[in-house]
Amino acid sequence: MEYFNAFWVGGLICALVQILVDKTKMMPGRIMVLLVCTGAILSAVGLFEPLVDYAGAGASVPLIGFGNTLWKGMKEAIDANGFIGLFMGGFTSCAVGVSAALILSYIASWIFQPKMKE
Amino acid sequence: MTTQTKGRQSIAFAQPVSILSGASMVGQKEGEGPLGDLFDCICQDPMFGTESWEQAESTMQKETAQLALGKAGLTKEQIRMIFAGDLLAQSIASSYGLVDLEIPVYGLYGACSTMGEALSLAAMAVAGGYGEYILALTSSHFGSAEKEFRFPLGYGNQRPLSATWTVTGSGACVLGRKGGKACITGLTTGKIIDYGLKDSMNMGACMAPAACDTILRHLQDFCRQPEDYDRIITGDLGKIGQRILFDLLEEKGCDIRQQHMDCGLEIFDAEEQDTHAGGSGCGCAATVFASYVLPKVETGEWKRVLFIPTGALLSKVSFNEGQTVPGIAQAVVVEQERKA
Amino acid sequence: MGKMTQEEKQKKAEEYEQYVKEVTPTHSLPMNMAKAFLVGGLICVLGQIILHVAGNYGLDTKEAGSWCSLLLIFGSVLLTGCNIYPKIGKFAGAGALVPITGFANSVAASAIEYKKEGQVFGIGCKIFTIAGPVVLYGIFSSWLLGVVYYILKIMGVFV
């Protein structure tokens, strides 16, 4: 059942974003920014948690999940460290995602050559 | 000296300028297209044996220049000057491609209309007596253009149906005072036309107003009708741009549906090759002209054609700053050489 | 043709834009949405499988989530290098853009493309050409929300 929920919620988010892509001609960079910020806000107002409980990876794998992670880390850091936590939480919480993308991509740049589109 | 200007924006050469040769070199995808058999050289390696897309384009330009010289039976010392351009910032494909040839160069930028610009200036230079033989040359490369104007090639974006596919190819023509089977008898210089469109993924629509303006101006300057041409050949308007051009001309009471042909629509099979609206880039008009149009004029199958490469004048910066995309179109009249 | 006023120009531009919109064909939206739904959904299922397996190994939610991100990113980078992810992106549109794999694809594609321009100014500067804004605005928006949370906390709204 959890697989089914992950499938349809994740799929639905993508399908909704597709409307945005096709109707507004927004560049992918803007779409990604919008998703992350939306995720952070949803998470801050407490709407994200129920969604994750219901859909699991269907909510956390789309980039809005990245926003959720950022907010959760921010909140924890503020709770634990006060003011300075404002400057700790973000990067701590997204460490795995950003590090993995950077490190693996850099290694990939050693191995792979640019290729023509087909 | 007799003046050779005609109308407001045109030139009618007192002595037609001869096209001695045309040469073209393309990449694999273009080679697999409908005009595949006509190109002089098809390179299967998209890198053209070099390290980067930019160097690949330079190499292609150098090879094409040499092909054109060979076909005209000239050595590089006999070429007085080159008019060349490409799509990259600061025209680096031309600069690095032509450095080894050691021929004087004027670098041009007219986006995809550059072949029209190069042919126009080269023809004027020959007609003015500033050179016995002059080379006009342009190139574009899918990889370098994507990188320059859009995304890294490995990025998984979806292209809208209005998008065009940048041609990997280079085309060159040697112009001279006499000796060819085809000649340039006149030209019309295009104005920059801006209808306020901002969609860089629909360049046909950005350029069609410019093509319309230049065509109307040309016909008026020369007091000709579309029927006076066997073909009116635009550069890379693509499917949507062509439709818009017809509509815009119709508003002005001009119909070129019978004569019109678009290089971008000829070079790819849109269905089979999944290129959407058509081909584009400096290399599109140049290679189609050198491989397909020129031979037909030389054999007399077409007696007189109007060749109008079109360009969309945008840069990455202008796009990011929310500027519109103006267009430009340069018209060149090409006719079969009459025996003296 | 006389000089047009700014207003007339604006109006003409709008008319032309409208006309261009009418004559420009577009992908079928329902079809595109269906493809995005399918591929996006499948990527999420893949994530769910990873979460599940990680859970079986006794990892907590947070660790499982990290493994999920890591493995999806690894897969995406690999597929980008092999020139397969662009094809998935072309087919699925938002279905490939929205999941974390789309973020990884944009980083990997930039790293591979710009390596010709050098380790520092090529890859180093341009690796975030597409994905950089995500990091900036992600961090900034969560910081902003954090500031609000911090102030409310001091005011005693949250206990």
Side-chain angles (χ1 to χ4, degrees), chain B residues 14-340:
Chain B
Q15 189 70 47
V17 176
S18 199
I19 303 177
L20 275 73
S21 72
S24 57
M25 185 170 189
V26 295
Q28 187 191 4
K29 193 181 180 89
E30 292 70 21
E32 289 164 359
L35 304 182
D37 297 337
L38 303 176
F39 301 116
D40 294 314
C41 184
I42 298 166
C43 186
Q44 299 297 331
D45 174 16
M47 284 279 184
F48 288 73
T50 66
E51 290 289 300
S52 71
W53 305 128
E54 292 76 14
Q55 287 174 32
E57 193 177 338
S58 295
T59 306
M60 186 164 64
Q61 225 183 73
K62 185 168 83 183
E63 296 293 325
T64 310
Q66 276 160 346
L67 271 174
L69 295 190
K71 283 173 95 173
L74 297 169
T75 62
K76 62 180 189 179
E77 288 76 20
Q78 288 173 283
I79 300 291
R80 186 77 186 187
M81 63 180 103
I82 300 176
F83 288 97
D86 58 270
L87 290 177
L88 304 182
Q90 285 81 41
S91 303
I92 52 170
S94 306
S95 308
Y96 292 94
L98 301 177
V99 60
D100 292 336
L101 290 178
E102 297 179 318
I103 302 171
V105 173
Y106 284 110
L108 309 177
Y109 188 83
C112 312
S113 75
T114 310
M115 195 56 185
E117 197 181 353
L119 282 174
S120 298
L121 292 170
M124 280 192 255
V126 170
Y130 303 122
E132 190 73 17
Y133 302 111
I134 294 180
L135 184 66
L137 165 75
T138 66
S139 69
S140 57
H141 190 295
F142 181 82
S144 61
E146 281 295 301
K147 196 173 149 190
E148 171 79 27
F149 292 100
R150 294 177 197 100
F151 299 111
L153 276 84
Y155 188 56
N157 61 316
Q158 235 172 5
R159 299 166 59 250
L161 289 181
S162 57
T164 47
W165 189 279
T166 306
V167 167
T168 301
S170 174
C173 288
V174 176
L175 304 192
R177 299 177 79 83
K178 54 182 185 298
K181 296 194 190 92
C183 60
I184 297 176
T185 56
L187 49 94
T188 301
T189 311
K191 287 187 292 199
I192 298 170
I193 303 290
D194 188 356
Y195 271 30
L197 214 61
K198 289 182 179 173
D199 188 357
S200 67
M201 287 295 198
N202 194 352
M203 300 222 276
C206 297
M207 301 185 293
C212 169
D213 186 81
T214 303
I215 291 171
L216 287 174
R217 175 47 56 197
H218 175 82
L219 295 176
Q220 210 171 337
D221 282 352
F222 280 84
C223 304
R224 284 182 188 155
Q225 296 300 317
E227 294 74 46
D228 294 327
Y229 291 95
D230 290 308
R231 285 289 185 283
I232 294 179
I233 306 155
T234 49
D236 50 2
L237 292 180
K239 218 188 272 170
I240 297 153
Q242 182 186 44
R243 157 90 202 267
I244 295 173
L245 176 65
F246 290 160
D247 285 355
L248 290 174
L249 284 170
E250 199 163 28
E251 262 175 50
K252 308 274 180 190
C254 176
D255 185 1
I256 60 163
R257 285 183 174 83
Q258 295 304 314
Q259 297 83 21
H260 186 258
M261 176 187 128
D262 186 70
C263 299
L265 289 173
E266 299 293 327
I267 196 164
F268 293 123
D269 184 328
E271 298 293 317
E272 286 275 309
Q273 297 187 292
D274 197 29
T275 49
H276 298 186
S280 65
C282 298
C284 179
T287 52
V288 173
F289 180 77
S291 66
Y292 181 51
V293 177
L294 190 59
K296 284 207 187 286
V297 177
E298 284 175 340
T299 57
E301 191 177 332
W302 296 338
K303 299 272 182 281
R304 181 198 280 160
V305 302
L306 186 64
F307 178 56
I308 318 156
T310 44
L313 302 171
L314 80 163
S315 80
K316 224 173 175 173
V317 177
S318 74
F319 175 76
N320 285 342
E321 292 181 351
Q323 297 270 16
T324 55
V325 183
I328 193 162
Q330 311 285 5
V332 180
V333 186
V334 182
E335 296 182 38
Q336 193 187 14
E337 184 104 48
R338 275 177 288 252
K339 300 280 175 295

Side-chain angles (χ1 to χ4, degrees), chain B residues 51 53 153 205 247 274, chain C residues 16 19 27 90 105 113 116:
Chain B
E51 290 289 300
W53 305 128
L153 276 84
D247 285 355
D274 197 29
Chain C
Y16 186 64
Y19 157 74
H27 293 286
K90 180 176 158 40
N105 167 236
E113 187 69 62
K116 306 290 180 191

Side-chain angles (χ1 to χ4, degrees), chain C residues 63-118:
Chain C
E63 280 174 309
S66 297
W67 274 101
C68 175
S69 299
L70 177 63
L71 290 175
L72 286 179
I73 289 170
F74 175 76
S76 171
V77 171
L78 200 64
L79 290 178
T80 304
C82 300
N83 213 16
I84 295 169
Y85 206 88
K87 294 190 187 79
I88 301 175
K90 180 176 158 40
F91 174 79
L97 165 72
V98 172
I100 187 115
T101 49
F103 173 77
N105 167 236
S106 71
V107 180
S110 305
I112 294 168
E113 187 69 62
Y114 293 112
K115 71 168 169 177
K116 306 290 180 191
E117 293 176 36

